[in-house]
Structure formats: C-alpha cells, structure tokens
Amino acid sequence: MKPFDLSLYLVLDPDLCQRHSMIETAREAVAGGATMVQVRHKQASTDERIALGRSLMEALRGSNATVIMNDDVTAAIESGVDGLHIGQGDMTPSLARARIGSELILGLSVNTEGAARLIDPAIIDYVGVGPVFATPTKPDHEKPLGFDGLAKVVAASPVPTVAIGGLKQEHVQRVLAAGADGVAVVSAICGTADPRQAARALCERLRAAR
Ligand code: TZP
Ligand code: MG
C-alpha cells in the first residue's frame, strides 16, 4: 500500500468546481500543499469515474498526492488510483477489502463513537469523521458533531482520522486539537477563485497548529 498523509484532503465536487475543472482544481490544490484528493462524482457513470481517476493520476504524477475514488469499487480498481472511500450505507468494509485487495487504501466515513469502535484496522486504513459542522455541500449529512463530538469519535478510532464538514481555515487549529490527523474540505478549495492559494493558506494553518 502506498504511504499516505491525511493533512489536507481535498474532496472534489463537480458542482462546486465551477471556476476551474476538477483536474485543474486538484492540480492547483496539490501545488498549494493538498496531500490527498478524492474523486466524488455522484452523477457520473463508472466509465466516467474511471476516466476521471486516470486523468487525475496523470495530472498529479510526480507529486506525492494520494488519489482516492469515492464509493465505486470498479472505478477504483480500473482507474489505477491509490484507494477507495466508502460510507456507512455503501458496501461493507470487508466486502470492499475483498474486492480491492491489500494494495489499495480503504477509507470509511464515520459519524459516531460506536461506528469508530467497530473499525477493524486490518481492513480500514483511515476514517473520515464528520460532519463537524452542517454544510450545504452534503444536504443529507448526519447530525453535526462539533469539536467535542469530533474529539470523542477520533479517540474511539483505532486508525488515523481526517475531519470533514463545513471546515475553513479558521477551524484547522481546533480540528488538530481534537486529535484528528488532518482536515478534509470541499468548498474551502473547490469553490474558490484560487485553489492553490486556498490550499496554501490551509497548510499554513496546519503547520502553525503542529
Ligand atoms: N461528508 C461529510 S460532510 C461532507 C462530506 C462529503 C461535505 C463537506 O463539504 P464542505 O464544503 O467542506 O463543507
Ligand atoms: Mg458513499
């Protein structure tokens, strides 16, 4: 498995990537310091996700960034990305692991301490914890955790954690103080005029908080 760094995890949303393409947004964000990029394209077909995953791998070649495919096992395998991310309502972690094999990274979304405690570190490599705050980016999100809830879920997790949901520059310090290993964002990078500068500013906050 490729080593990965959860510090600044960009989740690409096609609806929010209006000013720049998804590929350009990812390239710029990685140039600004994003360490992971997830393809999260709910409306796309598996073939479109495969094409997107391949283009992203090509665009980010030579960088250290890790590329993750949301939800779609076939697209994760066929596109040659570094890993797969699944949610609580998706395929079970053990089935996902059986399908992708041991070489790909497997991430899981969790929203409760109970779900974090159930994680088998032999199967899951990292968890996304959230939402920390309510966010219009994911209208069907679970109940927001706040920083205290985040700290509890993080403490219950046997694997590295990245916080998500409504996070902006000014929250980075408190996310790390809650024990999370990194910050995952959609709109704080995708919705901006300058994704490179947005990523750089988030990275500066991460450095300052460590
Ligand atoms: N999972 C929980 S919240 C969320 C996802 C994918 C969306 C986060 O988007 P934003 O724009 O960073 O609040
Ligand atoms: Mg999902």
Side-chain angles (χ1 to χ4, degrees), residues 65-163:
T66 300
V67 178
I68 303 285
M69 181 66 61
N70 185 58
D71 256 18
D72 189 328
V73 188
T74 305
I77 296 167
E78 296 295 322
S79 62
V81 296
D82 305 304
L84 171 73
H85 188 96
I86 56 173
Q88 292 290 324
D90 301 329
M91 176 183 284
T92 63
S94 34
L95 186 53
R97 176 54 79 196
R99 292 274 313 273
I100 64 175
S102 58
E103 285 305 305
L104 292 201
I105 298 162
L106 183 57
L108 174 71
S109 299
V110 297
N111 175 254
T112 63
E113 283 180 77
R117 254 185 242 109
L118 287 176
I119 285 163
D120 179 350
I123 294 176
I124 297 291
D125 298 305
Y126 77 89
V127 287
V129 185
V132 180
F133 300 118
T135 172
T137 307
K138 191 178 191 224
D140 62 340
H141 65 69
E142 306 286 331
K143 187 170 170 284
L145 293 163
F147 292 116
D148 290 345
L150 171 65
K152 285 181 183 148
V153 180
V154 165
S157 170
V159 294
T161 56
V162 62

